[in-house]
Amino acid sequence: MNVELRHLRALVAVIDAGTFTAAAGRLNITQPALTRTIQQLEATLETRLLERTSRSVKPTEDGRALAERIRIVLGDLDAAIASAQANRTVRLGFSWLLPDQWAHDTIAACEERSGARVLLQRCDDPVSALRDGVVDAVVMRGEVRGRALAVHHLFTEPRVAAVSARSPLAKRDSVTWAELGTYPLVVNTLTGTTRAESWTEPDPSREIVSCTNFDEWLELVAADRGIGAVPVAARRRVQHHNVRFVDIVDATPNAVSLVYVASRVTPLMRVLRDCALVEAHRARG
């Protein structure tokens, strides 16, 4: 017979409680079952671990020495279990507007497959959030660079122009990329996907209005400080009475990727990655 975890817990419980009756209550088993468990342990180790009297139970020298080591093992085991239970979540970061329907299908598939919980967390600087351990993975648009990062391309999204309701472009059904290049440009420097360099021959005299998050970017466009270009999902999900979204007939679509730190891949992170790639394939199909 092999020594099992129940044998170890039983020995410690009896020594701590001082009687089989009290130890059985702590372990939520019957006293005869506990007695058999201790007898099995002693038979397996071929040594007496407990001295029994009519009133109490005391450990032998072998029992005391074994119990001291068992406490260390059980403490490490309990800490590992607690850590595993605390890590039954995976944190998915995003800077703005997760791609639908892909995001919802990926989250549902990951939670069903793993039994864990996917927590969503918005972060203005997703790369820093990854490196600081604030999130486990992020959904990012555009080009992603970083030697320590694992980048999995998911799909591409068409882009639309975002313009103020006061702009003459607001009345247009569509514009060209070249036309947009003649207007002042609002740039989200942290997570935006459109910059002056997005045009093949950028105008060095073009006015650039900078900000660091999507909310500021949206308000600057609404105030007619400049135009922008965003994934088409914004047309469906962003409601602002002073912003209009106009088709761009020849815009290069945005790449969407799942990104995480390559050296921090956990089993749960692998499940999220695999589900993300499967759902991305379905979205493309």
Short mmCIF file of all heavy atoms in Angstrom, two decimals, residues 3-68:
data_model
loop_
_atom_site.label_atom_id
_atom_site.label_comp_id
_atom_site.label_asym_id
_atom_site.label_seq_id
_atom_site.Cartn_x
_atom_site.Cartn_y
_atom_site.Cartn_z
N VAL A 3 1.63 5.31 0.60
CA VAL A 3 1.21 6.36 1.53
C VAL A 3 0.44 7.42 0.74
O VAL A 3 0.91 7.91 -0.28
CB VAL A 3 2.43 6.99 2.22
CG1 VAL A 3 1.99 8.17 3.08
CG2 VAL A 3 3.16 5.95 3.07
N GLU A 4 -0.75 7.74 1.19
CA GLU A 4 -1.61 8.71 0.52
C GLU A 4 -1.75 9.97 1.36
O GLU A 4 -1.43 9.99 2.56
CB GLU A 4 -2.98 8.09 0.24
CG GLU A 4 -2.93 6.85 -0.64
CD GLU A 4 -4.29 6.21 -0.82
OE1 GLU A 4 -5.30 6.80 -0.36
OE2 GLU A 4 -4.34 5.09 -1.38
N LEU A 5 -2.26 11.00 0.73
CA LEU A 5 -2.41 12.28 1.42
C LEU A 5 -3.33 12.14 2.64
O LEU A 5 -3.08 12.76 3.68
CB LEU A 5 -2.98 13.32 0.45
CG LEU A 5 -3.09 14.75 0.97
CD1 LEU A 5 -1.73 15.30 1.37
CD2 LEU A 5 -3.72 15.65 -0.10
N ARG A 6 -4.35 11.31 2.55
CA ARG A 6 -5.28 11.13 3.67
C ARG A 6 -4.57 10.55 4.89
O ARG A 6 -4.93 10.85 6.03
CB ARG A 6 -6.46 10.25 3.25
CG ARG A 6 -6.08 8.84 2.87
CD ARG A 6 -7.26 8.06 2.30
NE ARG A 6 -6.88 6.71 1.92
CZ ARG A 6 -6.93 5.67 2.73
NH1 ARG A 6 -7.37 5.83 3.98
NH2 ARG A 6 -6.58 4.47 2.31
N HIS A 7 -3.57 9.69 4.66
CA HIS A 7 -2.81 9.13 5.78
C HIS A 7 -2.04 10.22 6.50
O HIS A 7 -2.00 10.27 7.74
CB HIS A 7 -1.83 8.07 5.27
CG HIS A 7 -2.48 6.87 4.66
ND1 HIS A 7 -2.22 6.44 3.39
CD2 HIS A 7 -3.39 5.99 5.18
CE1 HIS A 7 -2.93 5.36 3.13
NE2 HIS A 7 -3.66 5.06 4.21
N LEU A 8 -1.42 11.11 5.72
CA LEU A 8 -0.62 12.18 6.31
C LEU A 8 -1.49 13.15 7.10
O LEU A 8 -1.14 13.56 8.22
CB LEU A 8 0.15 12.92 5.22
CG LEU A 8 1.02 12.06 4.31
CD1 LEU A 8 1.78 12.93 3.32
CD2 LEU A 8 1.98 11.20 5.13
N ARG A 9 -2.61 13.55 6.51
CA ARG A 9 -3.51 14.47 7.21
C ARG A 9 -4.07 13.83 8.48
O ARG A 9 -4.29 14.51 9.49
CB ARG A 9 -4.64 14.92 6.29
CG ARG A 9 -4.18 15.80 5.14
CD ARG A 9 -5.37 16.49 4.48
NE ARG A 9 -4.98 17.29 3.32
CZ ARG A 9 -4.47 18.51 3.37
NH1 ARG A 9 -4.26 19.08 4.55
NH2 ARG A 9 -4.15 19.17 2.28
N ALA A 10 -4.31 12.54 8.41
CA ALA A 10 -4.86 11.85 9.58
C ALA A 10 -3.87 11.86 10.74
O ALA A 10 -4.24 12.12 11.90
CB ALA A 10 -5.21 10.40 9.21
N LEU A 11 -2.60 11.60 10.46
CA LEU A 11 -1.59 11.59 11.53
C LEU A 11 -1.48 12.96 12.19
O LEU A 11 -1.48 13.06 13.43
CB LEU A 11 -0.24 11.17 10.97
CG LEU A 11 0.93 11.18 11.97
CD1 LEU A 11 0.68 10.18 13.10
CD2 LEU A 11 2.24 10.91 11.26
N VAL A 12 -1.38 13.99 11.40
CA VAL A 12 -1.27 15.35 11.95
C VAL A 12 -2.51 15.71 12.75
O VAL A 12 -2.42 16.31 13.83
CB VAL A 12 -1.02 16.37 10.83
CG1 VAL A 12 -1.11 17.80 11.36
CG2 VAL A 12 0.33 16.12 10.17
N ALA A 13 -3.69 15.34 12.25
CA ALA A 13 -4.94 15.67 12.94
C ALA A 13 -4.99 15.00 14.31
O ALA A 13 -5.42 15.62 15.30
CB ALA A 13 -6.13 15.25 12.09
N VAL A 14 -4.58 13.73 14.40
CA VAL A 14 -4.62 13.03 15.68
C VAL A 14 -3.64 13.65 16.67
O VAL A 14 -3.97 13.85 17.86
CB VAL A 14 -4.32 11.53 15.49
CG1 VAL A 14 -4.18 10.83 16.84
CG2 VAL A 14 -5.42 10.86 14.68
N ILE A 15 -2.45 13.95 16.22
CA ILE A 15 -1.45 14.56 17.11
C ILE A 15 -1.93 15.92 17.60
O ILE A 15 -1.80 16.25 18.79
CB ILE A 15 -0.10 14.68 16.39
CG1 ILE A 15 0.48 13.28 16.12
CG2 ILE A 15 0.88 15.53 17.19
CD1 ILE A 15 1.76 13.29 15.30
N ASP A 16 -2.51 16.73 16.70
CA ASP A 16 -2.97 18.06 17.08
C ASP A 16 -4.18 17.99 18.02
O ASP A 16 -4.29 18.76 18.98
CB ASP A 16 -3.34 18.87 15.83
CG ASP A 16 -2.11 19.31 15.04
OD1 ASP A 16 -0.99 19.20 15.58
OD2 ASP A 16 -2.27 19.74 13.89
N ALA A 17 -5.10 17.08 17.73
CA ALA A 17 -6.34 17.00 18.51
C ALA A 17 -6.13 16.27 19.85
O ALA A 17 -6.83 16.55 20.83
CB ALA A 17 -7.42 16.29 17.70
N GLY A 18 -5.21 15.32 19.89
CA GLY A 18 -4.94 14.61 21.14
C GLY A 18 -5.79 13.38 21.34
O GLY A 18 -5.47 12.55 22.20
N THR A 19 -6.88 13.24 20.59
CA THR A 19 -7.73 12.05 20.67
C THR A 19 -8.24 11.70 19.28
O THR A 19 -8.34 12.56 18.40
CB THR A 19 -8.95 12.26 21.58
OG1 THR A 19 -9.85 13.20 20.97
CG2 THR A 19 -8.55 12.77 22.96
N PHE A 20 -8.57 10.42 19.10
CA PHE A 20 -9.11 10.00 17.82
C PHE A 20 -10.50 10.60 17.60
O PHE A 20 -10.86 10.94 16.47
CB PHE A 20 -9.18 8.46 17.77
CG PHE A 20 -7.89 7.82 17.34
CD1 PHE A 20 -6.86 7.61 18.25
CD2 PHE A 20 -7.70 7.44 16.02
CE1 PHE A 20 -5.68 7.03 17.87
CE2 PHE A 20 -6.52 6.85 15.62
CZ PHE A 20 -5.49 6.64 16.54
N THR A 21 -11.26 10.73 18.67
CA THR A 21 -12.62 11.27 18.53
C THR A 21 -12.59 12.70 18.01
O THR A 21 -13.30 13.06 17.06
CB THR A 21 -13.35 11.22 19.88
OG1 THR A 21 -13.41 9.87 20.36
CG2 THR A 21 -14.76 11.76 19.75
N ALA A 22 -11.76 13.54 18.63
CA ALA A 22 -11.67 14.94 18.20
C ALA A 22 -11.09 15.06 16.78
O ALA A 22 -11.55 15.86 15.97
CB ALA A 22 -10.82 15.73 19.18
N ALA A 23 -10.08 14.23 16.48
CA ALA A 23 -9.47 14.28 15.16
C ALA A 23 -10.46 13.85 14.08
O ALA A 23 -10.51 14.42 12.98
CB ALA A 23 -8.22 13.39 15.12
N ALA A 24 -11.26 12.82 14.39
CA ALA A 24 -12.26 12.36 13.42
C ALA A 24 -13.26 13.47 13.12
O ALA A 24 -13.69 13.66 11.97
CB ALA A 24 -12.97 11.11 13.95
N GLY A 25 -13.63 14.24 14.15
CA GLY A 25 -14.55 15.35 13.94
C GLY A 25 -13.95 16.41 13.04
O GLY A 25 -14.64 16.98 12.18
N ARG A 26 -12.66 16.70 13.23
CA ARG A 26 -12.00 17.70 12.40
C ARG A 26 -11.94 17.26 10.93
O ARG A 26 -12.05 18.08 10.01
CB ARG A 26 -10.57 17.96 12.90
CG ARG A 26 -10.51 18.65 14.25
CD ARG A 26 -9.06 18.96 14.62
NE ARG A 26 -8.95 19.58 15.93
CZ ARG A 26 -7.82 20.02 16.46
NH1 ARG A 26 -6.67 19.90 15.78
NH2 ARG A 26 -7.81 20.58 17.66
N LEU A 27 -11.70 15.97 10.74
CA LEU A 27 -11.57 15.44 9.37
C LEU A 27 -12.90 15.07 8.74
O LEU A 27 -12.95 14.69 7.57
CB LEU A 27 -10.65 14.21 9.38
CG LEU A 27 -9.20 14.46 9.80
CD1 LEU A 27 -8.46 13.13 9.94
CD2 LEU A 27 -8.50 15.36 8.79
N ASN A 28 -13.96 15.14 9.54
CA ASN A 28 -15.31 14.81 9.07
C ASN A 28 -15.42 13.36 8.61
O ASN A 28 -16.02 13.06 7.57
CB ASN A 28 -15.72 15.76 7.94
CG ASN A 28 -17.23 15.78 7.72
OD1 ASN A 28 -18.02 15.53 8.65
ND2 ASN A 28 -17.66 16.03 6.49
N ILE A 29 -14.79 12.47 9.37
CA ILE A 29 -14.91 11.04 9.11
C ILE A 29 -15.23 10.35 10.43
O ILE A 29 -15.19 10.96 11.49
CB ILE A 29 -13.61 10.43 8.51
CG1 ILE A 29 -12.43 10.62 9.48
CG2 ILE A 29 -13.29 11.06 7.17
CD1 ILE A 29 -11.15 9.95 9.01
N THR A 30 -15.56 9.06 10.38
CA THR A 30 -15.88 8.34 11.60
C THR A 30 -14.59 7.95 12.34
O THR A 30 -13.52 7.86 11.73
CB THR A 30 -16.69 7.07 11.30
OG1 THR A 30 -15.88 6.17 10.54
CG2 THR A 30 -17.95 7.41 10.52
N GLN A 31 -14.73 7.69 13.64
CA GLN A 31 -13.55 7.30 14.42
C GLN A 31 -12.98 5.96 13.95
O GLN A 31 -11.75 5.83 13.83
CB GLN A 31 -13.90 7.24 15.91
CG GLN A 31 -12.71 6.89 16.79
CD GLN A 31 -13.05 6.96 18.27
OE1 GLN A 31 -13.93 7.70 18.69
NE2 GLN A 31 -12.36 6.15 19.07
N PRO A 32 -13.82 4.95 13.65
CA PRO A 32 -13.25 3.68 13.15
C PRO A 32 -12.48 3.87 11.84
O PRO A 32 -11.44 3.25 11.64
CB PRO A 32 -14.47 2.79 12.95
CG PRO A 32 -15.47 3.32 13.93
CD PRO A 32 -15.26 4.82 13.92
N ALA A 33 -12.99 4.75 10.95
CA ALA A 33 -12.30 5.00 9.68
C ALA A 33 -10.95 5.64 9.93
O ALA A 33 -9.95 5.31 9.27
CB ALA A 33 -13.16 5.87 8.78
N LEU A 34 -10.91 6.56 10.88
CA LEU A 34 -9.64 7.21 11.21
C LEU A 34 -8.66 6.22 11.81
O LEU A 34 -7.46 6.22 11.48
CB LEU A 34 -9.89 8.36 12.19
CG LEU A 34 -8.65 9.10 12.70
CD1 LEU A 34 -7.84 9.67 11.55
CD2 LEU A 34 -9.05 10.20 13.68
N THR A 35 -9.14 5.35 12.68
CA THR A 35 -8.28 4.34 13.29
C THR A 35 -7.66 3.44 12.22
O THR A 35 -6.47 3.13 12.25
CB THR A 35 -9.07 3.49 14.29
OG1 THR A 35 -9.58 4.33 15.33
CG2 THR A 35 -8.19 2.40 14.90
N ARG A 36 -8.48 3.01 11.25
CA ARG A 36 -7.97 2.15 10.17
C ARG A 36 -6.93 2.89 9.33
O ARG A 36 -5.93 2.31 8.90
CB ARG A 36 -9.13 1.70 9.28
CG ARG A 36 -10.02 0.64 9.92
CD ARG A 36 -10.92 -0.02 8.88
NE ARG A 36 -11.81 0.97 8.24
CZ ARG A 36 -13.01 1.30 8.70
NH1 ARG A 36 -13.47 0.73 9.83
NH2 ARG A 36 -13.76 2.17 8.06
N THR A 37 -7.15 4.19 9.11
CA THR A 37 -6.20 4.98 8.32
C THR A 37 -4.84 5.04 9.00
O THR A 37 -3.80 4.87 8.35
CB THR A 37 -6.76 6.40 8.10
OG1 THR A 37 -8.01 6.33 7.41
CG2 THR A 37 -5.79 7.24 7.27
N ILE A 38 -4.83 5.28 10.31
CA ILE A 38 -3.56 5.33 11.05
C ILE A 38 -2.89 3.96 11.05
O ILE A 38 -1.66 3.84 10.88
CB ILE A 38 -3.79 5.83 12.49
CG1 ILE A 38 -4.27 7.29 12.48
CG2 ILE A 38 -2.51 5.69 13.30
CD1 ILE A 38 -3.26 8.28 11.91
N GLN A 39 -3.68 2.91 11.22
CA GLN A 39 -3.13 1.56 11.20
C GLN A 39 -2.51 1.23 9.85
O GLN A 39 -1.45 0.58 9.77
CB GLN A 39 -4.22 0.54 11.56
CG GLN A 39 -4.67 0.60 13.01
CD GLN A 39 -5.88 -0.27 13.29
OE1 GLN A 39 -6.58 -0.69 12.37
NE2 GLN A 39 -6.13 -0.54 14.58
N GLN A 40 -3.15 1.67 8.77
CA GLN A 40 -2.59 1.46 7.43
C GLN A 40 -1.26 2.18 7.27
O GLN A 40 -0.31 1.63 6.70
CB GLN A 40 -3.58 1.96 6.38
CG GLN A 40 -4.84 1.12 6.25
CD GLN A 40 -5.90 1.80 5.39
OE1 GLN A 40 -5.73 2.95 4.97
NE2 GLN A 40 -6.99 1.10 5.14
N LEU A 41 -1.18 3.40 7.79
CA LEU A 41 0.07 4.17 7.68
C LEU A 41 1.19 3.48 8.46
O LEU A 41 2.32 3.35 7.96
CB LEU A 41 -0.16 5.59 8.20
CG LEU A 41 1.07 6.52 8.17
CD1 LEU A 41 1.60 6.68 6.75
CD2 LEU A 41 0.72 7.88 8.77
N GLU A 42 0.89 3.04 9.67
CA GLU A 42 1.90 2.37 10.49
C GLU A 42 2.35 1.05 9.84
O GLU A 42 3.54 0.72 9.86
CB GLU A 42 1.36 2.12 11.89
CG GLU A 42 1.18 3.39 12.71
CD GLU A 42 0.61 3.12 14.09
OE1 GLU A 42 -0.23 2.20 14.22
OE2 GLU A 42 0.99 3.82 15.05
N ALA A 43 1.41 0.35 9.25
CA ALA A 43 1.75 -0.92 8.60
C ALA A 43 2.62 -0.67 7.37
O ALA A 43 3.57 -1.43 7.11
CB ALA A 43 0.48 -1.67 8.20
N THR A 44 2.32 0.36 6.64
CA THR A 44 3.10 0.67 5.44
C THR A 44 4.52 1.08 5.80
O THR A 44 5.48 0.66 5.15
CB THR A 44 2.42 1.81 4.65
OG1 THR A 44 1.09 1.40 4.28
CG2 THR A 44 3.21 2.14 3.40
N LEU A 45 4.66 1.89 6.86
CA LEU A 45 5.98 2.38 7.26
C LEU A 45 6.70 1.40 8.19
O LEU A 45 7.89 1.59 8.47
CB LEU A 45 5.83 3.74 7.98
CG LEU A 45 5.22 4.87 7.13
CD1 LEU A 45 5.15 6.16 7.95
CD2 LEU A 45 6.03 5.11 5.86
N GLU A 46 5.95 0.38 8.66
CA GLU A 46 6.50 -0.64 9.55
C GLU A 46 7.10 -0.02 10.81
O GLU A 46 8.20 -0.39 11.26
CB GLU A 46 7.56 -1.49 8.81
CG GLU A 46 6.97 -2.26 7.64
CD GLU A 46 8.00 -3.12 6.94
OE1 GLU A 46 9.21 -2.98 7.25
OE2 GLU A 46 7.61 -3.94 6.09
N THR A 47 6.37 0.92 11.38
CA THR A 47 6.80 1.53 12.64
C THR A 47 5.58 2.08 13.37
O THR A 47 4.58 2.44 12.74
CB THR A 47 7.81 2.67 12.39
OG1 THR A 47 8.28 3.16 13.65
CG2 THR A 47 7.18 3.82 11.63
N ARG A 48 5.66 2.12 14.70
CA ARG A 48 4.56 2.68 15.48
C ARG A 48 4.73 4.19 15.52
O ARG A 48 5.81 4.72 15.82
CB ARG A 48 4.54 2.11 16.89
CG ARG A 48 3.39 2.63 17.75
CD ARG A 48 3.32 1.88 19.07
NE ARG A 48 2.94 0.50 18.87
CZ ARG A 48 1.68 0.07 18.71
NH1 ARG A 48 0.68 0.96 18.72
NH2 ARG A 48 1.41 -1.19 18.56
N LEU A 49 3.65 4.90 15.21
CA LEU A 49 3.69 6.36 15.14
C LEU A 49 2.98 7.01 16.32
O LEU A 49 3.28 8.16 16.65
CB LEU A 49 3.03 6.84 13.83
CG LEU A 49 3.69 6.33 12.55
CD1 LEU A 49 2.85 6.72 11.34
CD2 LEU A 49 5.11 6.89 12.41
N LEU A 50 2.05 6.27 16.96
CA LEU A 50 1.27 6.83 18.05
C LEU A 50 1.25 5.88 19.24
O LEU A 50 1.16 4.66 19.07
CB LEU A 50 -0.18 7.10 17.60
CG LEU A 50 -0.37 8.11 16.46
CD1 LEU A 50 -1.83 8.12 16.03
CD2 LEU A 50 0.08 9.51 16.89
N GLU A 51 1.33 6.46 20.44
CA GLU A 51 1.17 5.69 21.69
C GLU A 51 -0.24 5.96 22.20
O GLU A 51 -0.59 7.09 22.52
CB GLU A 51 2.20 6.14 22.73
CG GLU A 51 3.64 5.79 22.39
CD GLU A 51 3.91 4.30 22.48
OE1 GLU A 51 3.02 3.54 22.97
OE2 GLU A 51 4.99 3.88 22.06
N ARG A 52 -1.04 4.90 22.26
CA ARG A 52 -2.43 5.05 22.63
C ARG A 52 -2.63 4.65 24.10
O ARG A 52 -2.14 3.60 24.53
CB ARG A 52 -3.31 4.20 21.73
CG ARG A 52 -3.16 4.50 20.23
CD ARG A 52 -3.69 3.33 19.41
NE ARG A 52 -3.64 3.58 17.99
CZ ARG A 52 -2.57 3.40 17.22
NH1 ARG A 52 -1.43 3.00 17.78
NH2 ARG A 52 -2.62 3.62 15.94
N THR A 53 -3.37 5.47 24.83
CA THR A 53 -3.80 5.12 26.19
C THR A 53 -5.32 5.23 26.23
O THR A 53 -5.95 5.63 25.24
CB THR A 53 -3.18 6.06 27.24
OG1 THR A 53 -3.73 7.38 27.08
CG2 THR A 53 -1.67 6.13 27.10
N SER A 54 -5.88 4.92 27.36
CA SER A 54 -7.35 5.00 27.46
C SER A 54 -7.84 6.43 27.43
O SER A 54 -9.01 6.69 27.15
CB SER A 54 -7.81 4.31 28.76
OG SER A 54 -7.21 4.94 29.89
N ARG A 55 -6.97 7.38 27.74
CA ARG A 55 -7.41 8.77 27.83
C ARG A 55 -6.85 9.67 26.73
O ARG A 55 -7.42 10.72 26.45
CB ARG A 55 -7.02 9.35 29.19
CG ARG A 55 -7.71 8.67 30.36
CD ARG A 55 -7.35 9.35 31.66
NE ARG A 55 -8.03 8.74 32.80
CZ ARG A 55 -7.89 9.15 34.05
NH1 ARG A 55 -7.07 10.16 34.32
NH2 ARG A 55 -8.54 8.54 35.02
N SER A 56 -5.71 9.30 26.15
CA SER A 56 -5.08 10.21 25.19
C SER A 56 -4.23 9.45 24.20
O SER A 56 -4.02 8.23 24.33
CB SER A 56 -4.23 11.25 25.91
OG SER A 56 -3.14 10.61 26.56
N VAL A 57 -3.76 10.20 23.21
CA VAL A 57 -2.86 9.64 22.20
C VAL A 57 -1.66 10.57 22.10
O VAL A 57 -1.81 11.79 22.00
CB VAL A 57 -3.56 9.54 20.83
CG1 VAL A 57 -2.58 8.99 19.78
CG2 VAL A 57 -4.78 8.66 20.92
N LYS A 58 -0.46 10.01 22.14
CA LYS A 58 0.75 10.80 22.00
C LYS A 58 1.62 10.22 20.89
O LYS A 58 1.65 9.00 20.70
CB LYS A 58 1.53 10.83 23.31
CG LYS A 58 0.82 11.54 24.45
CD LYS A 58 1.68 11.56 25.70
CE LYS A 58 0.97 12.29 26.84
NZ LYS A 58 1.80 12.31 28.08
N PRO A 59 2.35 11.09 20.16
CA PRO A 59 3.22 10.56 19.10
C PRO A 59 4.47 9.91 19.66
O PRO A 59 5.00 10.32 20.70
CB PRO A 59 3.59 11.82 18.30
CG PRO A 59 3.51 12.93 19.29
CD PRO A 59 2.37 12.57 20.22
N THR A 60 4.91 8.87 19.00
CA THR A 60 6.21 8.30 19.32
C THR A 60 7.29 9.22 18.74
O THR A 60 6.98 10.22 18.08
CB THR A 60 6.34 6.91 18.70
OG1 THR A 60 6.30 7.04 17.27
CG2 THR A 60 5.23 5.99 19.15
N GLU A 61 8.55 8.89 18.98
CA GLU A 61 9.62 9.70 18.41
C GLU A 61 9.54 9.69 16.88
O GLU A 61 9.69 10.72 16.23
CB GLU A 61 10.98 9.18 18.87
CG GLU A 61 11.28 9.48 20.34
CD GLU A 61 11.31 10.98 20.61
OE1 GLU A 61 11.83 11.73 19.75
OE2 GLU A 61 10.79 11.40 21.66
N ASP A 62 9.28 8.51 16.31
CA ASP A 62 9.13 8.42 14.85
C ASP A 62 7.91 9.21 14.38
O ASP A 62 7.96 9.89 13.35
CB ASP A 62 8.99 6.96 14.42
CG ASP A 62 10.30 6.18 14.53
OD1 ASP A 62 11.36 6.85 14.58
OD2 ASP A 62 10.26 4.94 14.56
N GLY A 63 6.83 9.12 15.15
CA GLY A 63 5.63 9.85 14.78
C GLY A 63 5.81 11.34 14.82
O GLY A 63 5.34 12.08 13.94
N ARG A 64 6.52 11.81 15.88
CA ARG A 64 6.76 13.25 16.01
C ARG A 64 7.66 13.76 14.87
O ARG A 64 7.38 14.80 14.27
CB ARG A 64 7.39 13.54 17.36
CG ARG A 64 7.59 15.03 17.62
CD ARG A 64 8.19 15.29 19.00
NE ARG A 64 7.25 14.90 20.06
CZ ARG A 64 7.36 13.81 20.81
NH1 ARG A 64 8.40 12.98 20.61
NH2 ARG A 64 6.49 13.52 21.75
N ALA A 65 8.70 13.02 14.56
CA ALA A 65 9.63 13.44 13.50
C ALA A 65 8.92 13.45 12.14
O ALA A 65 9.10 14.38 11.34
CB ALA A 65 10.83 12.51 13.46
N LEU A 66 8.11 12.42 11.91
CA LEU A 66 7.38 12.37 10.64
C LEU A 66 6.38 13.50 10.53
O LEU A 66 6.24 14.15 9.48
CB LEU A 66 6.67 11.01 10.50
CG LEU A 66 5.84 10.83 9.22
CD1 LEU A 66 6.72 10.94 7.98
CD2 LEU A 66 5.12 9.47 9.26
N ALA A 67 5.67 13.78 11.63
CA ALA A 67 4.66 14.84 11.62
C ALA A 67 5.27 16.20 11.31
O ALA A 67 4.67 17.03 10.61
CB ALA A 67 3.91 14.88 12.94
N GLU A 68 6.48 16.45 11.84
CA GLU A 68 7.13 17.73 11.58
C GLU A 68 7.39 17.92 10.09
O GLU A 68 7.19 19.00 9.54
CB GLU A 68 8.45 17.81 12.37
CG GLU A 68 8.25 17.97 13.87
CD GLU A 68 9.58 17.99 14.61
OE1 GLU A 68 10.63 17.88 13.95
OE2 GLU A 68 9.55 18.12 15.86
#
